[in-house]
Every structure is written in C-alpha cells, then in structure tokens.
Amino acid sequence: MVLDKKPAPDSTSKAILTMIERFEKRHMGEKWKGRHVSRPADIVRYVCWLYLTGSNKRDPFLKPYPKITKSHPKGLPWEVITVIRARGKGKGTLLKQEIPIFDPVEEKLWRKVLSDFETMELDDLFERLEKRDKNNGLTKIIQHNFKYNMRDAVSHKLLKNAPFTPQSFRYHRLYNLYVERGLDEGYILSFFGWKDTRVLKSIAILSSQKEYDQMHALRKLSKTSQID
C-alpha cells in the first residue's frame, strides 16, 4: 500500500493523483524532450477509471460499455457518479456502482477521466485502449510510468519507487474505501460485486456482511460526518 505518515481518507487518492500529474508533466508537457507515450491522455483517463471504479484491467473493454451518470441524491452531502458496467465473471453480468465524489482530490480524478464532466460516454476511449493492449502494452506503459514508495501488505517491507500494475489500482481503491474512508463491509461487497469476504480476509481486513444497499451505507456515513 502507498505510504503516508498520517493516513487520511484521501491519502491513497492523493498518491494516485501525484503519479498521474508526474506522468502528465513528463509526457504532456511542452518542455519534455524524452520519448513521449502515444495519446498520453488516454492512459491518464484509463488509470483514473481503474482506480475510481476498482475495475480489473480488461473490465472497461467488456460490452456493453459502461453507462455513466452524475447526480446529487437527496440526503447526501456529495455528488454521486453512478456507473453500470459489465463484469468479467459471468456473460452479460452487470455491476451497478454508486461512487461519491468525496473530496477535491477525487473530483480532480473524475474530471480527468470525464473531461471536466463533459464526456459521460467512454466507448471510443475503451475501444482505442483495447486495440492498444496487444502484447500486454498497457501493463508495460503503466509499470514503466507509474511508481510510488509502498509498503508490502504481507511482509511490510519498504518498496521504493515500486511499479504499479493495472491491478494495483483496484487493490488500492479497496484499501482507500474500506480502511481510509471507513465504509462498511456491505458497501465494499456491493461496490466490487463480491458475494463473500474471501478477498478482504486475504489482505488481513476483517469483514462479515453480504450484499448491501450502497446508497444506505453512504447516507449512514454522511450523517456521521455531519455530526463530527
């Protein structure tokens, strides 16, 4: 997991944003004279999507492509991005996610992937990226360009400038939502589309609940935040 001296709800999201901004400076800045990545904005949008939705590497390429809407549900202090997307397990299986824009950091990430909320359809993006992923191309680009100091979840060994893989964004999102933001097991299971807690237990995070209403969990959290 990414390191932070004082873990906060947005610690991991800040680390992800920092890596993305470094990538943008290197490959999208006018002064960079090294080798540029072709269509770097596509890579930025892709890794933002992987993190924010907790997707597996190839989930965005499954059809039907994700449906995305933004709203401000009654009773919540945040705007919410609703994503309905295909899942890798089970033909035709869809997963619905209610994803709050918790803070300015996450808003910046969403603005990158959705072009300042002007693009709610990403079909063209994912179609281009799927073609680009021949010979594991996306993984190679991400591992080469996205690195951060991390602590191994099992050995606790410090890994300096460790490379990210597409799957890394998914597990860091799990850590962010469950540990840093304190969302309960039910929301996490529903968010990721899991039916049991094996994945949570495998990374030494205790959990027990099954399927859960995500919006109910968010309203519960918002009431706690208002009291504090």
Side-chain angles (χ1 to χ4, degrees):
M1 297 301 173
V2 294
L3 294 178
D4 194 283
K5 292 182 179 179
K6 295 182 179 179
D10 61 357
S11 292
T12 297
S13 296
K14 281 182 176 178
I16 300 298
L17 180 61
T18 296
M19 287 193 296
I20 289 170
E21 290 176 341
R22 289 174 184 165
F23 176 84
E24 290 175 327
K25 185 176 181 180
R26 291 185 62 193
H27 296 286
M28 299 168 72
E30 295 180 359
K31 296 183 178 180
W32 176 249
K33 296 182 180 180
R35 182 179 179 182
H36 283 259
V37 173
S38 175
R39 298 189 71 103
D42 282 2
I43 302 300
V44 168
R45 298 173 76 190
Y46 177 62
V47 298
C48 284
W49 179 265
L50 292 181
Y51 175 70
L52 291 167
T53 64
S55 295
N56 285 308
K57 175 184 173 180
R58 298 195 61 81
D59 283 353
F61 310 148
L62 299 174
K63 295 180 181 180
Y65 287 123
K67 300 295 182 183
I68 308 160
T69 57
K70 182 164 75 78
S71 63
H72 195 154
K74 184 178 180 180
L76 291 181
W78 324 282
E79 288 186 301
V80 172
I81 302 293
T82 300
V83 174
I84 300 176
R85 61 181 178 87
R87 298 181 58 199
K89 294 183 178 181
K91 186 177 181 180
T93 302
L94 297 178
L95 175 65
K96 181 179 181 180
Q97 297 175 296
E98 307 284 3
I99 313 173
I101 305 176
F102 286 109
D103 48 50
V105 175
E106 298 227 341
E107 183 176 359
K108 287 182 180 179
L109 293 172
W110 277 114
R111 284 187 179 278
K112 290 181 184 296
V113 70
L114 297 176
S115 302
D116 287 333
F117 300 114
E118 294 182 0
T119 303
M120 293 305 215
E121 183 178 290
L122 303 179
D123 298 21
D124 291 344
L125 171 67
F126 294 142
E127 187 174 359
R128 287 196 304 270
L129 288 168
E130 183 178 17
K131 294 178 181 177
R132 190 170 182 175
D133 196 38
K134 293 181 180 179
N135 300 318
N136 220 21
L138 290 176
T139 296
K140 293 175 183 177
I141 291 173
I142 291 172
Q143 286 182 310
H144 181 72
N145 290 279
F146 293 85
K147 300 179 181 180
Y148 212 88
N149 291 343
M150 292 184 280
R151 183 79 63 183
D152 186 270
V154 178
S155 68
H156 302 291
K157 181 180 179 180
L158 176 62
L159 307 173
K160 293 186 177 181
N161 208 29
F164 266 58
T165 65
Q167 193 72 1
S168 297
F169 291 96
R170 175 176 170 85
Y171 286 114
H172 278 81
R173 187 54 158 169
L174 169 60
Y175 180 80
N176 169 249
L177 294 175
Y178 192 56
V179 177
E180 294 178 335
R181 297 192 184 278
L183 288 163
D184 64 27
E185 294 94 334
Y187 177 87
I188 299 301
L189 290 174
S190 184
F191 181 92
F192 287 95
W194 294 331
K195 294 183 178 180
D196 56 55
T197 61
R198 285 177 294 177
V199 175
L200 295 180
K201 291 178 180 178
S202 71
I203 60 172
I205 299 178
L206 298 177
S207 61
S208 60
Q209 297 183 10
K210 300 293 182 180
E211 295 293 339
Y212 200 81
D213 181 348
Q214 295 179 46
M215 295 304 295
H216 176 77
L218 294 175
R219 289 192 173 92
K220 180 179 178 181
L221 176 63
S222 69
K223 291 179 181 179
T224 303
S225 301
Q226 291 170 2
I227 294 175
D228 294 341

